[in-house]
């Protein structure tokens, strides 16, 4: 799988790069961003996968989150893929901001016309890690995952569906119970169809209820002034209740005054990278 470098910038002593490649899962060209800390020049480094939210590309996180200094300090590679296939000429893919382009929801679609291209779950958990491990100085046994909003949903389901694959998981303002919120119901209906039982495989709250893998320490930050929290899109209480019942360790921090934006992510990204470093560098 050939990579084409799109950009490369010196940053925090390392390199912030963007690459393009032909995806076999998504049947289109995809871009991903990768931060290579200074340590990657001489050693194999662990990888933190970052999944972004609705409307985002690979650019939002690398230009707004300020993650590179902490990644350099802890010797962690950070990979940030795009949020959906693009340019697939699917009717309706660009009609709304919360479905289709920029809104892949990290599921494998089963419904026409989405099922050929919209396979972000397999892309993130299988194709992309293989690509990264084949082309960069990584330790394939040390990977973790994080994300924001729709990407927080993605990070949680990837970790819960693959016990032991990821050393740690964290999320900012994740969509915790998509079966019960408007964003999730729209996306899951469109990508998976009307049978709600098929949605359960991509709902963190449902997955947590049946989780039986190794201990997974979860860190979640949520802005108290997040407009989507008050609009019942995120529903963290549902996930926390299930994790409490199942004794899955969750640190949930409700941050006063913070909203849903990247200003919020920038404010706490260092804590999240430290959380991942604790497990990735153990």
């Amino acid at each position: 799988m050939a990579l084409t470098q799109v950009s490369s910038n010196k940053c925090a002593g390392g390199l912030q790069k963007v690459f393009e490649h032909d995806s076999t899962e998504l049947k289109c060209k995809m871009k991903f961003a990768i931060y290579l800390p200074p340590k990657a020049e001489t050693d194999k480094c662990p990888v933190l996968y970052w999944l972004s939210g609705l409307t985002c590309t690979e650019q939002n996180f690398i230009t707004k989150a300020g993650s590179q200094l902490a990644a350099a300090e802890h010797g962690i590679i950070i990979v940030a893929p795009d949020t959906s296939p693009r340019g697939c000429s699917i009717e309706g893919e660009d009609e709304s901001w919360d479905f289709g382009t920029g809104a892949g929801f990290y599921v494998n679609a089963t419904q026409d016309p989405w099922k050929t291209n919209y396979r972000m779950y397999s892309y993130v958990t299988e194709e992309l890690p293989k690509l990264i491990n084949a082309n960069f100085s990584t330790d394939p046994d040390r990977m973790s995952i994080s994300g924001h909003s729709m990407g927080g949903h993605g990070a949680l389901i990837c970790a819960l569906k693959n016990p032991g694959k990821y050393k740690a998981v964290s999320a900012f303002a994740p969509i915790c119970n998509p079966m019960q919120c408007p964003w999730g119901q729209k996306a899951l209906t469109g990508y998976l169809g009307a049978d709600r039982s098929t949605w359960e495989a991509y709902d963190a709250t449902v997955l947590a209820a049946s989780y039986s893998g190794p201990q997974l320490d979860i860190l979640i930050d949520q802005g108290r002034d997040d407009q989507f929290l008050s609009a019942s899109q995120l529903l963290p209480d549902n996930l926390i209740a299930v994790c409490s019942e199942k004794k899955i360790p969750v640190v949930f921090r409700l941050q006063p005054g913070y909203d849903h934006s990247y200003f919020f992510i920038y404010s706490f990204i260092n804590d999240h990278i430290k959380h991942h470093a604790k497990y990735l560098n153990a």
Side-chain angles (χ1 to χ4, degrees), residues 15-33:
L15 290 167
Q16 179 63 68
K17 293 175 176 280
V18 175
F19 288 91
E20 187 175 66
H21 72 105
D22 290 311
S23 168
T24 53
E25 279 289 351
L26 308 180
K27 308 289 191 297
C28 68
K29 287 189 181 298
M30 287 294 286
K31 288 179 183 173
F32 66 84

Side-chain angles (χ1 to χ4, degrees), residues 130-148:
K130 286 177 185 172
L131 187 68
I132 298 300
N133 294 334
N135 287 278
F136 301 96
S137 183
T138 66
D139 180 348
D141 295 325
R142 290 187 294 154
M143 57 191 278
S144 65
I145 195 162
S146 184
H148 169 232

Side-chain angles (χ1 to χ4, degrees), residues 74-121:
H74 294 285
I76 296 173
I77 293 170
I78 303 184
V79 175
D82 201 347
T83 54
S84 77
R86 291 184 189 267
C88 296
S89 300
I90 300 171
E91 186 177 351
E93 67 183 350
D94 296 321
E95 284 181 2
S96 58
W97 65 274
D98 56 357
F99 185 78
T101 301
F105 256 84
Y106 305 103
V107 304
N108 285 346
T110 58
Q111 302 299 299
D112 289 325
W114 311 100
K115 65 183 183 183
T116 300
N117 304 99
Y118 276 68
R119 297 181 52 79
M120 285 299 294
Y121 173 74

Side-chain angles (χ1 to χ4, degrees), residues 48 143-146 159 166-170 216-217 275-276 279-280:
L48 168 60
M143 57 191 278
S144 65
I145 195 162
S146 184
Y166 301 96
K167 299 295 185 188
V169 61
S170 74
L216 188 65
D217 285 348
H275 168 76
H276 290 276
Y279 298 95
L280 290 172

Side-chain angles (χ1 to χ4, degrees), residues 54 97 148-149 173-175 181-183 222-236 259-261:
L54 290 163
W97 65 274
H148 169 232
S149 195
I175 302 170
C181 77
W183 276 342
Q222 172 64 61
R224 184 177 285 167
D225 289 9
D226 186 328
Q227 65 272 37
F228 300 115
L229 179 64
S230 58
S232 298
Q233 292 281 20
L234 307 176
L235 306 175
D259 57 21
H260 199 72
S261 71

